[in-house]
Amino acid sequence: MGERYVLDLREVDETQVAVVGGKGAQLGGLSRIDGISVPGGFCVTTDAFRRVMAGVPSTDELLDRLSRSDPDDRDTIRMLGARIREAIEGAVVPDDLAVAITGALVELGEDAACAVRSSATAEDLPTASFAGQQDTYLNVVGTEAILRHVSRCWASLFTERAVIYRQRNGIDHRTVRMAVVVQRMVLPDASGILFTADPVTGNRKVATVDAGFGLGEALVSGLVNPDVYKVRDDEIVARTIAAKQRAVHALPAGGTREVTVDSQRQEQPALTDAQVVRLVRLGRRIEAHFGRPQDIEWCLADDGFQIVQSRPITTLFPVPESGDQENHVYVSVGHGQMMTDPMKPLGHSMWRLTAMVPMHEAGGRLFVDVTRRLAAPTSRAGLLDVLGKGDPLIRDALETVLDRDGFVPTIPDAGPGGPPAGGPPAPLETDPAVVTRLIERSETSVAALERDIRSKTGPALFEFLMEAFEEHKRVLSDPLSIQAIMAGMEATWWLNDKLQDWLGEKNAADTLTLSAPGNITSEMGLALLDVADVIRPHPELVTFLQGVEDDGFLDELAKLPGGAEARDAIEAYLDRYGMRCVGEIDITRPRWRERPTTLVPVILDNVRNFEPGAAERRFEQGRRRAQEKERDVLSRLRALPDGDLKADEAKRMIDRVRTFIGYREYPKYGIISRYFIYKRALLAEAERLVQAGVLPEVEDVFHLTFQEFHDAVRSNRVDDRLVRQRKEAFRSYHALTPPRVLTSEGDALTGAYRRDDVPAGALVGLPVSAGTVEGRARVVLDMADADLEAGDILVTAFTDPSWSPLFVGIAGLVTEVGGLMTHGAVIAREYGLPAVVGVEQATRLIRDGQRIRVHGTDGYVEILP
């Protein structure tokens, strides 16, 4: 079949994006849905565009220059884009192409008014909404005018906005083609937009209709406020009727103009209730056809709805698959693990295989279904208490769901099962030997894993790993380990509650836990200060490190004076902590051992901002402050009624906190140590698949689940298309903000702080480490970009253990995610940094370089003038 320049919309469907562009393919698909009316029309195909471009050779050189230009160089882009557009608009449309278009117009009715719309091949992909990137012309009348506007649509591929968008998203200008849709113009009484899911809450059962008089351009361009209806199960559940003072109407000779709406009509609804419900039913049909929520443009003429556009709503957070029609409530795992970025499939499948509870994936993030625990009163109270202690926003979001009538049905508590066999565990002695024993157990288990995995390859490796995951879970669920973690946390809560009651002091435990012994994460931050001490005396090493870009720099370093010691110090650090990295629960993230350049900026900051011996001094100062605080608290308690009793109890709890709180960080270190061993073995397998020509590159396996990777090793086959789709999906997940709580209807809940003790304009969060500090905010989204001076306050989305080397150099901490017992909070307390976590949108609301005041005792942040 030769090139076809024109296709009727009814000949087209969603699979033909390459031929008719995104909009054309979508409209073709819509016109095939039973009961949906789409204005008649045709597509001028990408073959036609290619043919015209081939006839304008002057664009070749301009396109080359455009591809090489910097996306930030607006002037060059504007100039080159304008020249390409001029060349396209000035090109003569070849005769056979003009004949094909004219013939299609005759079928529509030669004098019919038409809408001429651009339809680019890269438009409205599920993962990138190009809405509004190219142009639409309404009410174009006459063959000559339509041909002219088709040329304009072709040219609109090179508007400044479209060019910059492609450059920012890494889309090659030469791969995008432009088709044009020509449709009979509808002259509507009313028009607007229908979202088949609530675009604000995400609820998939609530549709939202925006409606105004005349053409939809008035709404899209923001000329008028629309009437807004919310519809659930064929029933209007909310409505707002706006005063619609303006409308856009079509002119008989072509073009459109703004008109004023009669004053009596302004307050009238643009649609009747029955029409609204009918429209939403049509929307549900379209949604079912495309398989995901849609953003639909519609027109109403003579009481009939015509659909002129439908595209996926790209901003909704996906809902986990439940496999049933029941209501479900999901809590985000990432908010507890300090990792709200999307994970690659190998990452989330392995976290699920090694986790203690079943998890569900959506949008590259993991969630736990808590519906059953919320349903029974006793387990509900326990769950809300535990989650609320960690993150009050999660508790608030869950309470919001529970307040909805009947969303979570109440079931009776499980019957009296009596105490578990063997009675409750014996109370744990406050004995440091308990912690020593637990760490030895973990080290033995990790060493055995490292030894036994060496000989395993191929399918046998995967079978070995499935057993290793069972051992992994056994170590994690060791009752003694859980008791030790709980002992430290419970003693902290006890101290905070009792000392507030008895002495009126908030968060007293924060000072009492300074420099608690045995915390692997805070030791990791201090140990990097010791590395800086080895480098600081040698200016040549500092200069060398400032220019480092390649991960193989350690061998080069050793050749400089003092370099061998410096290399040994960094190597020793990597031996102990090299398995860590940002987002470390995702096994696919590069570890420090794999990418040691990550640590270089932090080492250089330490060289610049600290004196020799800082690590030991810092630890010692903290220990002394904690001892002074202990003496002060105990002497003030003794002065109270029953003082000796209170002081003895407090002393017991202080000893308990200092014995166990440092261990809180160890199990995660154990998990991540095991992860790095798994990873190295799996990468060796991936290497074999690359050698065998099964995979183009090693990291492609990150886009397979553990099970799919296992199958690939067994069969020596990988579905390239699947890997491509997964990469595309992973890219799209970055644009989504994961909610703390998600329901099966798609409601994404963030929760709110219900507090009235905060000054106006302050940003509210959770107080996790006492004290107040003022300083310059450094908004850091990637640890490798941190450039900190002494006294700076770190503002970031979330911190996991890998950020603790930065904590030694800052004066305070603000994060968007976190709770009382998450890593950032524990380390902030040990280092004595005032910290407020769970501050919604902190990295957007606080600008880098602004002066802020962090109220770590009361849980809010002020932006200073």
Side-chain angles (χ1 to χ4, degrees), residues 638-651:
R638 288 206 177 86
L640 299 175
D642 288 337
D644 286 347
L645 205 63
K646 287 176 176 152
D648 289 349
E649 262 191 285
K651 172 66 177 146

Side-chain angles (χ1 to χ4, degrees), residues 313-552:
I313 309 176
T314 52
T315 52
L316 297 175
F317 200 86
V319 178
E321 297 279 330
S322 65
D324 60 35
Q325 295 303 303
E326 306 290 309
N327 289 347
H328 292 269
V329 182
Y330 302 98
V331 169
S332 160
V333 172
H335 284 79
Q337 287 295 341
M338 297 297 93
M339 161 65 179
T340 53
D341 290 347
M343 295 166 79
K344 291 185 180 140
L346 187 62
H348 59 68
S349 64
M350 284 187 69
W351 192 257
R352 287 168 75 173
L353 286 167
T354 51
M356 303 310 298
V357 288
M359 292 179 180
H360 306 261
E361 181 271 336
R365 278 74 167 194
L366 292 171
F367 294 86
V368 173
D369 185 342
V370 294
T371 323
R372 286 198 69 78
R373 288 170 69 191
L374 284 176
T378 310
S379 61
R380 176 191 310 154
L383 181 73
L384 291 174
D385 184 47
V386 168
L387 291 176
K389 273 202 172 97
D391 182 341
L393 292 176
I394 290 182
R395 178 181 183 133
D396 184 75
L398 288 173
E399 284 173 339
T400 305
V401 176
L402 288 168
D403 286 344
R404 292 185 186 159
D405 287 347
F407 187 81
V408 178
T410 299
I411 56 172
D413 283 312
L428 196 59
E429 294 284 313
T430 303
D431 177 3
V434 171
V435 174
T436 314
R437 189 158 82 244
L438 284 167
I439 290 174
E440 276 169 9
R441 268 189 212 177
S442 172
E443 285 173 348
T444 307
S445 171
V446 170
L449 171 67
E450 194 149 22
R451 186 187 63 234
D452 297 344
I453 206 167
R454 276 188 202 135
S455 56
K456 307 287 187 287
T457 60
L461 169 69
F462 288 83
E463 279 138 37
F464 170 80
L465 281 172
M466 289 308 289
E467 286 168 33
F469 297 162
E470 291 311 307
E471 166 67 2
H472 181 121
K473 291 197 270 200
R474 195 193 60 72
V475 172
L476 261 188
S477 58
D478 178 342
L480 187 64
S481 177
I482 292 165
Q483 267 187 292
I485 293 170
M486 289 313 296
M489 283 166 44
E490 282 164 356
T492 307
W493 295 328
W494 188 95
L495 283 167
N496 280 336
D497 288 350
K498 294 295 188 194
L499 296 181
Q500 180 145 14
D501 278 356
W502 293 340
L503 301 174
E505 202 172 317
K506 275 189 189 168
N507 301 356
D510 293 359
T511 314
L512 294 167
T513 51
L514 286 171
S515 299
N519 184 323
I520 188 89
T521 310
S522 52
E523 285 166 7
M524 175 170 83
L526 297 174
L528 207 57
L529 289 176
D530 291 337
V531 172
D533 285 355
V534 179
I535 291 162
R536 194 179 293 105
H538 304 285
E540 272 182 82
L541 297 183
V542 175
T543 309
F544 170 78
L545 288 173
Q546 281 163 343
V548 157
E549 279 173 10
D550 172 23
D551 284 311

Side-chain angles (χ1 to χ4, degrees), residues 733-785:
Y733 295 154
H734 281 278
L736 301 173
T737 303
R740 282 177 166 79
V741 170
L742 185 63
T743 72
S744 45
E745 291 187 348
D747 275 306
L749 297 118
T750 295
Y753 294 104
R754 316 279 169 187
R755 288 176 51 190
D756 46 16
D757 58 342
V758 170
L763 310 180
V764 185
L766 180 65
V768 295
S769 183
T772 302
V773 66
E774 243 179 65
R776 175 178 70 154
R778 291 318 306 255
V779 180
V780 180
L781 297 176
D782 179 347
M783 186 174 144
D785 301 335

Side-chain angles (χ1 to χ4, degrees), residues 809-820:
I810 56 174
L813 174 70
V814 179
T815 67
E816 293 180 345
V817 176
L820 270 172

Side-chain angles (χ1 to χ4, degrees), residues 176-325:
V176 184
R177 310 244 183 268
M178 180 64 85
V180 181
V181 176
V182 179
Q183 273 179 294
R184 190 179 286 115
M185 182 75 194
V186 181
L187 300 177
D189 308 313
S191 57
I193 298 166
L194 156 65
F195 294 100
T196 62
D198 187 320
V200 180
T201 65
N203 193 307
R204 308 304 201 262
K205 299 223 164 156
V206 175
T208 304
V209 175
D210 289 8
F213 294 124
L215 290 168
E217 304 316 292
L219 302 189
V220 176
S221 61
L223 192 62
V224 294
N225 287 331
D227 298 339
V228 181
Y229 297 87
K230 291 195 184 296
V231 178
R232 185 183 174 115
D233 300 331
D234 283 349
E235 188 189 335
I236 295 174
V237 290
R239 64 157 63 72
T240 314
I241 305 302
K244 297 167 288 296
Q245 291 157 352
R246 324 277 296 153
V248 174
H249 282 197
L251 295 169
T256 61
R257 69 157 190 194
E258 254 181 65
V259 296
T260 304
V261 177
D262 295 345
S263 52
Q264 308 89 296
R265 274 191 79 207
Q266 288 181 6
E267 304 272 349
Q268 277 182 5
L271 297 177
T272 65
D273 285 4
Q275 284 170 334
V276 170
V277 171
R278 199 167 88 220
L279 173 62
V280 170
R281 282 188 190 154
L282 294 176
R284 292 280 174 231
R285 232 174 230 203
I286 295 171
E287 176 182 65
H289 174 82
F290 289 120
R292 52 191 301 178
Q294 298 287 305
D295 159 354
I296 298 167
E297 291 174 35
W298 55 269
C299 297
L300 176 72
D302 306 325
D303 197 37
F305 284 106
Q306 302 257 0
I307 304 300
V308 292
Q309 172 73 299
S310 183
R311 55 176 163 256
I313 309 176
T314 52
T315 52
L316 297 175
F317 200 86
V319 178
E321 297 279 330
S322 65
D324 60 35
Q325 295 303 303

